[in-house]
Amino acid sequence: MRQLSRALRVNCLPSLRKPFFNAPPWLVYPTKSFSTTPAHHRYQVPKRKKDVPMSKDMTTLKGKPFDRASLESLMRRRMFYTPAFDIYGGVSGLYDYGPPGCALTNNIVDLWRKHFVLKENMLEVDCTMLTPYEVLKTSGHVDKFADWMCKDPKTGEIFRADHLVEEVLESRLKGNKEARGEKVEVEEEDAKKKKKKVKNITAIKLDDVVVTEYEEILAKIDNYNGEELGLLMKKYDIRNPANNSELLPPVAFNLMFQTSIGPSSNLPGYLRPETAQGQFLNFAKLLEFNQQQMPFASASIGKSFRNEISPRAGLLRVREFLMAEIEHFVDPEGGKKHAHFDEIKDVELELLNREVQLAGKTHVATTKIGDAVASGLVDNETLGYFLARVQLFLLKIGVDPKKIRFRQHMANEMAHYATDCWDAELLTSYGWIECVGCADRSAYDLTVHQKKTGAPLVVREPRKEPLKVEEWQCDIEKKKFGPKFKKDGKTVEAAIEALSQDLREKLSLELEKEGKIVIDVPGVGDGKVEVPKELITIEKRTRVENVREYTPNVIEPSFGIGRIVYALCEQSYWTREQDEARGVLSFPPTVAPTKVLIVPLSSHADFKPFVRQLSNKLQEIGISSRVDDSGASIGKRYSRNDELGTPLGITIDFQSVKDNTFTLRDRDSTEQVRAGLDDIAKAISGIVNGAERWSDVAARLPKFEGQEVE
Amino acid sequence: MRQLSRALRVNCLPSLRKPFFNAPPWLVYPTKSFSTTPAHHRYQVPKRKKDVPMSKDMTTLKGKPFDRASLESLMRRRMFYTPAFDIYGGVSGLYDYGPPGCALTNNIVDLWRKHFVLKENMLEVDCTMLTPYEVLKTSGHVDKFADWMCKDPKTGEIFRADHLVEEVLESRLKGNKEARGEKVEVEEEDAKKKKKKVKNITAIKLDDVVVTEYEEILAKIDNYNGEELGLLMKKYDIRNPANNSELLPPVAFNLMFQTSIGPSSNLPGYLRPETAQGQFLNFAKLLEFNQQQMPFASASIGKSFRNEISPRAGLLRVREFLMAEIEHFVDPEGGKKHAHFDEIKDVELELLNREVQLAGKTHVATTKIGDAVASGLVDNETLGYFLARVQLFLLKIGVDPKKIRFRQHMANEMAHYATDCWDAELLTSYGWIECVGCADRSAYDLTVHQKKTGAPLVVREPRKEPLKVEEWQCDIEKKKFGPKFKKDGKTVEAAIEALSQDLREKLSLELEKEGKIVIDVPGVGDGKVEVPKELITIEKRTRVENVREYTPNVIEPSFGIGRIVYALCEQSYWTREQDEARGVLSFPPTVAPTKVLIVPLSSHADFKPFVRQLSNKLQEIGISSRVDDSGASIGKRYSRNDELGTPLGITIDFQSVKDNTFTLRDRDSTEQVRAGLDDIAKAISGIVNGAERWSDVAARLPKFEGQEVE
């Protein structure tokens, strides 16, 4: 995910921010503050906006209230994930994926690879995570990839400045409500956490003016830099909530994990914060591999790292995470058309555009991507193509179509070089979560790396018609040049090469008139060098360019796989009508961790050969299954697998031993059919490969109602 | 890969080493030296043994000489891999995989997952790479996972001590040969490198005794610890070859990349050196997930890191690498049987056993794994099962059956807790390379983590027959105990709990005789505590144990995927008879990066719809293809794809436009057949999925010889 769009954006001027954020009068914008590191906000869990329901108002697939705590309990109990190093007390922001979480992730990655890499012939690469300092210095991460933290000088405790300001102001607003006798609307869970952290929730009434100020600050808490946060803390007397002691002013904390490569500690390095840089550095080789043909895309799937100051929000803000990133390289001329745009132009997206957000609204408009590009709302076809393809991918893995939207970045939220940027956001109980960022990054990255290294990260293509350029050219008499300038020859020559066209024109007149020219050559003599006309000719000529050289622009769709996995779990979760405690995860069969559960009625020896026969048959057709021959009741065993999201179940009962038929159960409806091995295998294969649905199978095979599996 | 077997092995006594290495008389073994960190040698590129052909004697699949330089040139040219950060000058030991290398790796990992995880219902997990200090301190990596390095105090240059000693002695032996007028047998390439590094190759004659000493040292260069290497350097006056200055004594350099987690730098951490620890830490949860059933295996695929002092040997010794590790947990009682051992008992392996190596030989014996386990050569069925399954996997991905062997670890090469250990080695031009380590690690890891954290990393299972244990039990009068000992009560109680059975028996007599006992309780009073008989009863009783509690043993097959990929490339490489320069990589279709190349005869517009038709058809049946519509000749385009290892090619020619038929070409034989779309698609699908071979297709479809594709 292009986490940098904010971190690397041009430092926005106060006037530009105004429409987005009405600064309270006390908040001075000293010029200096804008030259310090702006806060880093990528991958941020968005604040709850007015349009986002609270967790308790969220509804499941079946329209019932969503309960985050019971989903989280299920996910831990069934080992979708687990805090890493749990037996050592854990490390915040680090999680391990257990078998179902790992299989779910692998299946999503596999579909991603088919949907993007295979379908579009992308060039997948696998670059190292260890990255030397120089690379990330050039990309801007060393200087700008930071959050603001402040320290309690007494206890050594460290706070993320924006989080602290937010928590304290929120708790004061709640105290104000309590003092005024209003109902304080907080989620229980949140309240518990906050009470523990922010001990000074006391019912104190605030002035109306102060309430408005607080609300304005909270609405735009993501927009302050360190100096501004420091001013807020001074002005509103924000201290360490635990001991009321004053904190040191916010300082920038770089979010990259640092290490050193090799034994002598003289090669500092970092763990990459994104997979993109490796792709940019390999651009020239990838173009060569693609036989110089443009456009093309590279892709990379791998872990990235971010040393969050104080990770919260479970799987949504972690220190080590899986990304899948595409860098689509395109000619900046010709409107960035896409050859297959026609195939997706009628795909409808829910777009939350910049203007709506500027007006403080969150109204989305259902728009065909073709229309959005035609009207200029989405900058170009290639960007639009990827927005549509991202949505198709998300739907394929089972995301709820009512819970996707594409939010356009505000002008001051994007990197200064970015042309347009849209986030695919998924609705969860934490609010709308940025899961895929789609940015048009222009030629920024290739340009900075080329400038730093001198490597030609450009495309050179023959022009159909040669380009004629009229220009002033300087020719040097090399033979006389050396003897005259000696060791300074090269420097003087470079200075002449660097002369602008305007200056050359002026100098050509000077040369004619004076018989010599005087140019600035810093570092040689007194910085002025005289070149007599014997040594130089300046003439206007026509140059013919047969080759066009350009730096491609990059369209970057960047996926936070862990976030998508978590959002998918929330959106797939519901509980059975009869029993709130019986959770179900309705993953589509393609991404479900296990496809089939095989359940012998009991541990009776007669069932064993059938278990093996079924397992082998499924393995043969490449479908993952698991056997549950534990002593628990059939109902309990199916419940367990509903929680694991296993879409199908086969029961082996005494009837099976008699006539070699089995029952097949559908997770979502709990309906069952009964048939022989081949029919069962065919139905499973059809459902898992997406060729048919349960309703097709249920219409085709005899229904079975003999046995209670609830 | 269990890199620790050497690093963590019990410090072997001189006498144990003797048969393996006849120490020269000057080499004193001070007791102290064996308590320092032993050198780390896992993942080591083995020295060339007498039985291993030199690179120039290696032969390709077709029996022609193997040329490493041309393979490496091919692999870089076709972007199988590329030095990471190349445009920034690169960082040694870090490589990126380009599109074909990445696809090859992904296909091998995919097959691995099917062959092991799916087939055996393993519990795949994905644990974090960032690992806190405490975990790796407990596992032994912080203290022992190190190599020896020495520094030139003048220049700051750092050398890996064993490599330096080796290089200097080898160059002296060469100088000696030159001085004696013998032929110096070195590979050109090696010679070039060495000359650059070790400048003092001078023709100096050595005494015969010295030559023998040097040869003995070189034979066992992997076996010295730091102090021993220091003594060797002193005794033989080994200095910095570049400037002849004396070096500081070897110091241990820990091979883990260090970082710190969180903002306050108070949580030191490392990048994991293996994936195993995450699996061990999750043992209790995995057992729970597996519904308490034993045995079971977990598995993990992911990157690990090793900060090599000076990486050499290309892709074989890198600082960041992909591992696939299995931890199979098994009951230590009952001989570690395996339920499916029968299925593989007749698989034949080339075994290089410990005794043969002790005798200084490298003769392998072709042995059925069933026999090897029956004779006790391979310690147990479970270990034997995995050796056979590892070989089946390697053959499936295309490894040459003549270039695999299994080498047993020497007693002093294994960790002290390991029962048996075998490496699957693949023959390459670097010699026999350890690619898969298979170790029986006993209960070591679970035990140390349990001891450190108190977490019960054990299996508890009901005993079929209750176990009756006769034992001396101590009962305490708790009510009187508190008042008497006050704050020391707990300590005294713990001391009583800890009494051995023998001591309890003795104390019971004392109690009877004296009416009190005196026990040692360090830290309480003067360390002796008197307990009167009113407070304690000691009796012999029978305890009935209904539950058996044990720490499982671990069998660990550990795969270095990058090494397997490289060895497979060497073993799959050959050149066409007609033309040495035309390289071919004969990967099996299952693992080949791209399955089909689509080649229109020219860029003629008539061909375009056919290209799209073929691409779509192949995508439909899930087969990766690439189109090459560049202007190069058909022959050149096929050559390029031979180098990429693409097994099949389809040509679209003018005949195609007329009758909708295409030619299908086999990479290895360059034979072609001609048929319609459906027949071609069926043939491709059959070959790629392993259902048929080219010979079947060639027998079925009409041969095509019209067009020159050489």
Side-chain angles (χ1 to χ4, degrees):
Chain A
M1 208 158 287
R2 174 58 40 194
Q3 303 315 318
L4 278 177
S5 65
R6 291 291 294 282
L8 292 185
R9 73 170 188 259
V10 70
N11 297 311
C12 42
L13 299 168
S15 62
L16 283 180
R17 300 183 90 162
K18 279 248 172 99
F20 194 45
F21 168 48
N22 288 309
W26 55 263
L27 188 56
V28 189
Y29 285 98
T31 317
K32 189 171 150 271
S33 85
F34 292 100
S35 63
T36 58
T37 311
H40 159 73
H41 300 294
R42 306 295 312 282
Y43 247 131
Q44 179 113 353
V45 180
K47 299 301 139 242
R48 180 171 291 114
K49 307 271 163 50
K50 274 171 198 151
D51 69 321
V52 178
M54 313 265 292
S55 153
K56 69 183 165 58
D57 302 328
M58 289 279 293
T59 54
T60 67
L61 271 183
K62 308 286 163 171
K64 302 245 263 166
F66 170 79
D67 177 8
R68 190 201 295 160
S70 50
L71 171 64
E72 278 182 359
S73 145
L74 181 162
M75 287 179 78
R76 291 193 182 211
R77 193 168 63 247
R78 295 305 177 207
M79 215 180 169
F80 276 83
Y81 72 97
T82 180
F85 318 108
D86 209 7
I87 65 173
Y88 279 82
V91 176
S92 60
L94 293 180
Y95 295 91
D96 294 340
Y97 285 92
C102 188
L104 182 62
T105 304
N106 288 343
N107 294 341
I108 287 172
V109 165
D110 193 50
L111 256 173
W112 191 91
R113 201 172 258 136
K114 283 183 183 140
H115 186 85
F116 291 106
V117 179
L118 184 62
K119 166 85 184 164
E120 319 226 359
N121 276 317
M122 292 174 176
L123 306 183
E124 189 179 342
V125 295
D126 182 23
C127 304
T128 61
M129 298 170 196
L130 287 165
T131 308
Y133 171 89
E134 276 303 327
V135 171
L136 293 162
K137 176 74 181 171
T138 305
S139 69
H141 288 84
V142 170
D143 295 329
K144 309 245 174 127
F145 194 69
D147 272 341
W148 296 100
M149 66 174 186
C150 30
K151 193 170 179 172
D152 181 333
K154 284 185 197 155
T155 64
E157 247 180 304
I158 285 167
F159 297 86
R160 189 166 142 180
D162 54 342
H163 285 181
L164 179 70
V165 169
E166 188 183 16
E167 277 179 15
V168 170
L169 297 192
E170 274 178 356
S171 91
R172 288 184 192 168
L173 286 174
K174 276 168 205 156
N176 172 59
K177 281 197 174 179
E178 270 180 44
R180 292 176 187 228
E182 291 169 29
K183 196 185 154 223
V184 181
E185 195 188 276
V186 285
E187 291 172 69
E188 256 176 66
E189 166 190 27
D190 274 18
K192 260 186 247 160
K193 272 190 208 149
K194 295 248 162 89
K195 259 202 185 118
K196 233 170 95 191
K197 269 197 168 170
V198 185
K199 286 179 184 159
N200 55 354
I201 297 190
T202 38
I204 294 177
K205 199 177 158 186
L206 304 171
D207 272 2
D208 287 356
V209 182
V210 174
V211 169
T212 311
E213 280 180 22
Y214 282 8
E215 282 171 348
E216 279 173 351
I217 292 164
L218 288 173
K220 292 301 151 235
I221 189 71
D222 293 353
N223 284 40
Y224 300 101
N225 66 22
E227 197 144 347
E228 291 160 355
L229 288 165
L231 289 168
L232 284 171
M233 289 169 66
K234 271 222 149 31
K235 155 115 182 162
Y236 293 111
D237 194 32
I238 292 170
R239 295 155 175 262
N240 181 347
N243 61 8
N244 210 36
S245 72
E246 228 174 302
L247 301 171
L248 297 178
V251 293
F253 171 68
N254 193 292
L255 295 177
M256 293 191 293
F257 287 97
Q258 197 168 359
T259 189
S260 75
I261 304 171
S264 58
S265 306
N266 58 6
L267 184 58
Y270 297 96
L271 292 177
R272 68 179 176 198
E274 58 174 19
T275 72
Q277 298 305 321
Q279 299 180 61
F280 298 138
L281 298 187
N282 279 308
F283 171 75
K285 287 178 188 171
L286 289 166
L287 179 64
E288 164 71 24
F289 183 85
N290 208 44
Q291 302 179 288
Q292 309 296 335
Q293 289 180 16
M294 288 284 293
F296 73 93
S298 62
S300 195
I301 302 166
K303 296 279 169 73
S304 294
F305 302 82
R306 179 159 315 168
N307 198 4
E308 296 285 351
I309 292 174
S310 55
R312 298 185 296 182
L315 294 182
L316 293 179
R317 185 190 295 281
V318 292
R319 286 174 165 154
E320 183 175 327
F321 48 93
L322 186 64
M323 299 178 92
E325 289 191 305
I326 294 164
E327 309 298 333
H328 181 94
F329 299 99
V330 59
D331 188 339
E333 286 184 14
K336 304 183 189 174
K337 299 278 180 208
H338 195 285
H340 300 302
F341 188 72
D342 261 9
E343 294 172 17
I344 50 81
K345 71 180 190 324
D346 293 328
V347 172
E348 290 188 329
L349 307 180
E350 303 284 314
L351 300 179
L352 172 57
N353 74 37
R354 195 174 288 157
E355 277 67 39
V356 170
Q357 294 173 69
L358 270 176
K361 302 278 169 60
T362 55
H363 167 75
V364 294
T366 308
T367 314
K368 284 187 182 170
I369 190 65
D371 297 340
V373 171
S375 72
L377 173 57
V378 170
D379 185 76
N380 59 68
E381 276 192 5
T382 299
L383 183 59
Y385 177 78
F386 279 110
L387 296 186
R389 293 278 301 153
V390 165
Q391 169 155 305
L392 292 173
F393 168 73
L394 292 172
L395 294 177
K396 203 182 266 182
I397 63 168
V399 162
D400 184 342
K402 294 186 297 295
K403 294 177 179 170
I404 312 181
R405 73 177 185 191
F406 287 83
R407 189 181 70 78
Q408 189 173 31
H409 277 208
M410 310 303 298
N412 68 350
E413 197 180 357
M414 293 194 297
H416 65 280
Y417 47 80
T419 315
D420 195 5
C421 184
W422 293 79
D423 286 343
E425 297 184 331
L426 299 182
L427 185 61
T428 72
S429 63
Y430 291 95
W432 286 98
I433 301 298
E434 172 201 356
C435 287
V436 188
C438 295
D440 180 336
R441 299 176 54 71
S442 77
Y444 176 75
D445 305 276
L446 296 180
T447 306
V448 293
H449 288 301
Q450 165 157 354
K451 201 171 154 198
K452 177 72 190 173
T453 64
L457 303 180
V458 293
V459 177
R460 291 169 55 85
E461 60 179 28
R463 291 184 180 276
K464 278 175 195 152
E465 298 205 2
L467 183 74
K468 289 178 186 169
V469 187
E470 290 246 308
E471 63 181 15
W472 290 94
Q473 296 182 346
C474 302
D475 296 336
I476 288 165
E477 280 293 323
K478 294 225 173 184
K479 276 186 193 159
K480 298 179 186 163
F481 215 74
K484 168 140 176 96
F485 293 111
K486 307 220 165 60
K487 68 174 175 46
D488 295 328
K490 292 261 174 213
T491 319
V492 177
E493 203 177 323
I496 293 170
E497 278 296 309
L499 292 170
S500 72
Q501 285 292 316
D502 283 356
L503 209 54
R504 287 174 188 216
E505 182 168 8
K506 225 180 85 193
L507 289 171
S508 77
L509 298 173
E510 189 180 320
L511 191 64
E512 202 172 315
K513 210 164 125 197
E514 316 278 347
K516 63 176 187 189
I517 58 172
V518 178
I519 58 170
D520 293 333
V521 189
V524 174
D526 62 354
K528 298 269 179 203
V529 169
E530 210 180 272
V531 186
K533 68 172 179 186
E534 298 84 49
L535 298 196
I536 190 165
T537 321
I538 305 181
E539 275 182 10
K540 189 163 200 173
R541 300 191 196 122
T542 302
R543 181 167 53 81
V544 179
E545 261 187 30
N546 291 305
V547 169
R548 178 179 158 235
E549 192 176 281
Y550 67 90
T551 304
N553 280 15
V554 175
I555 312 283
E556 181 192 69
S558 169
F559 297 68
I561 300 292
R563 291 186 158 200
I564 292 174
V565 166
Y566 177 77
L568 180 63
C569 287
E570 271 209 7
Q571 296 189 359
S572 304
Y573 177 69
W574 57 286
T575 50
R576 297 257 182 238
E577 287 271 327
Q578 316 90 306
D579 184 354
E580 287 292 318
R582 292 189 49 189
V584 185
L585 283 166
S586 281
F587 301 125
T590 21
V591 301
T594 303
K595 312 307 182 196
V596 184
L597 171 73
I598 300 172
V599 192
L601 197 60
S602 73
S603 60
H604 199 291
D606 282 0
F607 297 143
K608 294 208 192 305
F610 292 93
V611 170
R612 179 160 268 216
Q613 183 193 15
L614 283 163
S615 293
N616 289 346
K617 179 74 186 178
L618 291 176
Q619 216 163 76
E620 229 171 70
I621 58 175
I623 286 169
S624 70
S625 68
R626 289 198 77 84
V627 176
D628 187 347
D629 52 6
S630 68
S633 73
I634 295 268
K636 277 221 174 111
R637 283 184 274 169
Y638 273 137
S639 275
R640 177 170 187 273
N641 277 270
D642 287 347
E643 291 194 340
L644 288 167
T646 309
L648 296 164
I650 302 176
T651 313
I652 300 159
D653 54 18
F654 291 109
Q655 186 73 19
S656 310
V657 180
K658 278 185 218 152
D659 66 1
N660 224 351
T661 64
F662 311 93
T663 73
L664 182 66
R665 173 189 184 263
D666 172 48
R667 172 196 60 206
D668 295 348
S669 64
T670 71
E671 283 175 11
Q672 292 187 82
V673 295
R674 175 156 213 125
L677 179 63
D678 289 341
D679 278 337
I680 296 274
K682 199 179 144 211
I684 291 173
S685 161
I687 290 172
V688 170
N689 299 324
E692 43 180 11
R693 290 157 176 264
W694 174 258
S695 53
D696 304 321
V697 168
R700 196 150 52 71
L701 298 178
K703 199 163 177 180
F704 175 71
E705 298 184 89
Q707 142 206 310
E708 185 48 56
V709 299
E710 293 307 314
Chain B
M1 212 157 286
R2 174 60 38 196
Q3 304 315 318
L4 278 178
S5 66
R6 290 292 295 282
L8 291 186
R9 75 169 188 261
V10 71
N11 298 310
C12 40
L13 299 167
S15 62
L16 283 178
R17 298 184 91 161
K18 278 246 170 100
F20 195 45
F21 167 49
N22 289 308
W26 55 265
L27 188 55
V28 188
Y29 286 97
T31 317
K32 191 172 147 267
S33 85
F34 291 100
S35 64
T36 58
T37 311
H40 160 73
H41 300 294
R42 305 296 310 281
Y43 247 131
Q44 179 112 352
V45 179
K47 301 299 139 244
R48 181 170 291 118
K49 308 271 163 48
K50 273 170 199 153
D51 69 321
V52 178
M54 314 265 293
S55 153
K56 67 181 167 56
D57 301 328
M58 288 280 292
T59 53
T60 66
L61 270 183
K62 308 285 163 174
K64 302 247 261 168
F66 170 80
D67 177 7
R68 191 200 295 159
S70 50
L71 172 64
E72 278 182 0
S73 145
L74 181 163
M75 287 180 76
R76 290 191 183 215
R77 191 168 66 249
R78 294 307 176 204
M79 216 183 168
F80 276 84
Y81 72 98
T82 178
F85 318 109
D86 209 8
I87 65 173
Y88 278 83
V91 175
S92 62
L94 293 180
Y95 295 92
D96 294 341
Y97 286 92
C102 188
L104 182 62
T105 305
N106 288 343
N107 293 342
I108 287 173
V109 165
D110 194 49
L111 256 172
W112 191 91
R113 202 173 257 135
K114 283 184 185 139
H115 186 85
F116 291 106
V117 179
L118 184 62
K119 166 86 183 163
E120 320 227 359
N121 275 315
M122 292 175 177
L123 306 182
E124 188 179 342
V125 296
D126 181 23
C127 304
T128 61
M129 299 169 196
L130 288 164
T131 307
Y133 171 88
E134 276 302 328
V135 171
L136 293 162
K137 175 74 182 171
T138 305
S139 69
H141 288 83
V142 170
D143 295 328
K144 309 246 174 126
F145 194 68
D147 273 340
W148 297 101
M149 65 174 188
C150 30
K151 195 170 178 172
D152 181 333
K154 285 186 196 153
T155 64
E157 246 180 305
I158 285 167
F159 297 86
R160 190 167 141 178
D162 54 341
H163 285 182
L164 179 69
V165 170
E166 188 183 15
E167 277 179 15
V168 170
L169 296 192
E170 274 178 355
S171 91
R172 288 186 191 166
L173 286 174
K174 275 170 205 154
N176 172 57
K177 281 197 172 178
E178 271 182 43
R180 292 176 186 227
E182 293 169 28
K183 197 188 154 220
V184 180
E185 194 187 276
V186 285
E187 291 172 69
E188 256 177 66
E189 168 189 25
D190 273 18
K192 259 187 245 159
K193 272 190 207 149
K194 296 250 163 87
K195 254 193 189 129
K196 233 169 100 189
K197 269 196 169 170
V198 185
K199 284 179 186 160
N200 55 354
I201 297 191
T202 37
I204 294 177
K205 198 178 161 188
L206 304 171
D207 272 2
D208 286 356
V209 181
V210 174
V211 169
T212 311
E213 280 179 20
Y214 282 9
E215 282 170 350
E216 279 174 349
I217 293 164
L218 287 174
K220 293 300 152 235
I221 189 70
D222 292 354
N223 284 39
Y224 299 101
N225 65 22
E227 198 147 342
E228 291 161 354
L229 288 165
L231 288 169
L232 285 170
M233 288 168 67
K234 271 224 149 28
K235 156 116 180 161
Y236 293 110
D237 195 33
I238 292 170
R239 298 155 173 263
N240 181 346
N243 60 9
N244 209 36
S245 74
E246 226 174 304
L247 301 170
L248 298 178
V251 293
F253 171 67
N254 192 291
L255 296 176
M256 293 191 294
F257 287 97
Q258 197 167 0
T259 189
S260 73
I261 304 171
S264 57
S265 305
N266 57 7
L267 184 58
Y270 297 96
L271 292 176
R272 66 178 178 200
E274 59 175 17
T275 73
Q277 298 305 321
Q279 299 181 61
F280 298 138
L281 298 188
N282 280 307
F283 171 75
K285 287 176 188 173
L286 289 166
L287 180 64
E288 165 72 25
F289 183 84
N290 208 44
Q291 303 181 287
Q292 308 296 337
Q293 289 180 17
M294 288 285 292
F296 74 93
S298 62
S300 195
I301 302 165
K303 296 279 168 74
S304 294
F305 302 83
R306 179 159 313 169
N307 198 4
E308 297 285 351
I309 293 174
S310 56
R312 299 185 296 184
L315 293 182
L316 294 179
R317 185 188 295 280
V318 293
R319 287 176 164 153
E320 184 177 327
F321 48 94
L322 187 63
M323 299 178 92
E325 289 191 305
I326 295 165
E327 310 298 332
H328 181 95
F329 300 98
V330 61
D331 188 338
E333 285 183 16
K336 304 183 189 175
K337 299 278 181 208
H338 195 286
H340 300 303
F341 189 72
D342 261 9
E343 293 172 17
I344 52 80
K345 71 179 188 324
D346 292 329
V347 172
E348 289 188 330
L349 307 180
E350 304 284 314
L351 299 179
L352 172 56
N353 73 37
R354 197 175 286 155
E355 277 66 39
V356 171
Q357 294 172 70
L358 269 176
K361 303 278 167 59
T362 55
H363 166 75
V364 294
T366 308
T367 314
K368 284 187 183 169
I369 189 66
D371 297 339
V373 171
S375 72
L377 173 57
V378 170
D379 185 75
N380 60 69
E381 276 193 3
T382 300
L383 183 59
Y385 178 78
F386 280 110
L387 296 186
R389 293 278 300 154
V390 165
Q391 169 155 305
L392 292 173
F393 168 73
L394 292 172
L395 294 177
K396 203 181 265 181
I397 63 168
V399 162
D400 185 341
K402 295 188 296 294
K403 293 178 181 170
I404 311 181
R405 75 176 184 193
F406 287 82
R407 188 181 71 78
Q408 189 173 31
H409 278 210
M410 309 303 297
N412 69 350
E413 197 180 358
M414 293 194 296
H416 66 279
Y417 47 80
T419 316
D420 195 6
C421 185
W422 293 79
D423 286 342
E425 297 184 331
L426 299 181
L427 185 61
T428 72
S429 62
Y430 290 95
W432 285 98
I433 299 299
E434 172 202 357
C435 287
V436 187
C438 293
D440 180 337
R441 297 176 53 70
S442 75
Y444 177 75
D445 305 276
L446 295 180
T447 307
V448 295
H449 288 302
Q450 166 156 351
K451 201 171 154 199
K452 177 73 188 171
T453 64
L457 303 180
V458 292
V459 178
R460 290 169 56 84
E461 60 180 28
R463 289 186 181 277
K464 278 177 195 151
E465 299 205 2
L467 183 73
K468 288 177 186 170
V469 186
E470 289 246 311
E471 64 180 15
W472 289 95
Q473 295 183 345
C474 301
D475 297 335
I476 287 165
E477 279 294 322
K478 295 227 172 181
K479 276 184 192 159
K480 297 179 187 162
F481 214 75
K484 168 138 178 98
F485 293 111
K486 308 217 166 65
K487 68 174 175 45
D488 296 327
K490 292 259 173 216
T491 318
V492 178
E493 203 179 321
I496 293 170
E497 278 295 310
L499 293 171
S500 71
Q501 286 292 315
D502 284 355
L503 209 52
R504 286 173 189 218
E505 183 169 8
K506 224 179 88 194
L507 290 171
S508 80
L509 298 173
E510 189 181 322
L511 191 64
E512 204 172 314
K513 209 164 126 195
E514 315 277 344
K516 63 176 187 188
I517 55 172
V518 179
I519 56 170
D520 294 333
V521 189
V524 174
D526 61 353
K528 298 270 179 202
V529 169
E530 208 181 275
V531 187
K533 70 172 180 187
E534 298 84 52
L535 297 196
I536 191 164
T537 322
I538 305 182
E539 275 181 12
K540 188 163 200 174
R541 300 188 196 124
T542 302
R543 184 168 50 84
V544 180
E545 261 188 28
N546 291 304
V547 170
R548 178 178 159 235
E549 193 176 279
Y550 66 89
T551 304
N553 280 14
V554 176
I555 313 283
E556 182 194 68
S558 170
F559 298 68
I561 300 291
R563 290 187 159 199
I564 293 174
V565 166
Y566 177 77
L568 179 64
C569 288
E570 271 210 6
Q571 297 189 0
S572 304
Y573 177 70
W574 56 286
T575 48
R576 298 257 183 238
E577 287 272 326
Q578 317 90 308
D579 185 352
E580 285 295 317
R582 292 187 49 189
V584 185
L585 282 167
S586 281
F587 302 125
T590 20
V591 302
T594 303
K595 313 307 181 194
V596 184
L597 171 74
I598 301 171
V599 193
L601 197 61
S602 73
S603 59
H604 198 290
D606 282 358
F607 298 142
K608 292 207 192 306
F610 292 93
V611 169
R612 179 162 269 216
Q613 185 194 13
L614 283 163
S615 292
N616 289 346
K617 178 75 186 178
L618 291 176
Q619 216 163 76
E620 231 170 68
I621 58 175
I623 286 169
S624 70
S625 67
R626 289 197 75 84
V627 176
D628 186 348
D629 53 6
S630 68
S633 73
I634 294 268
K636 276 222 173 109
R637 283 183 275 169
Y638 273 136
S639 275
R640 176 171 187 273
N641 277 270
D642 288 346
E643 292 194 340
L644 289 167
T646 309
L648 296 164
I650 302 176
T651 314
I652 300 158
D653 54 18
F654 291 109
Q655 187 72 18
S656 310
V657 180
K658 277 186 220 152
D659 67 2
N660 224 352
T661 65
F662 311 93
T663 74
L664 182 66
R665 172 189 184 263
D666 172 48
R667 172 197 60 206
D668 295 348
S669 65
T670 72
E671 283 175 13
Q672 293 187 83
V673 296
R674 175 155 215 125
L677 179 64
D678 289 340
D679 279 336
I680 295 273
K682 200 179 143 211
I684 291 173
S685 163
I687 289 172
V688 170
N689 298 323
E692 44 179 11
R693 290 156 175 268
W694 174 258
S695 53
D696 304 320
V697 168
R700 196 151 52 70
L701 298 178
K703 200 164 178 182
F704 175 72
E705 300 185 88
Q707 141 205 311
E708 187 48 57
V709 298
E710 291 309 312

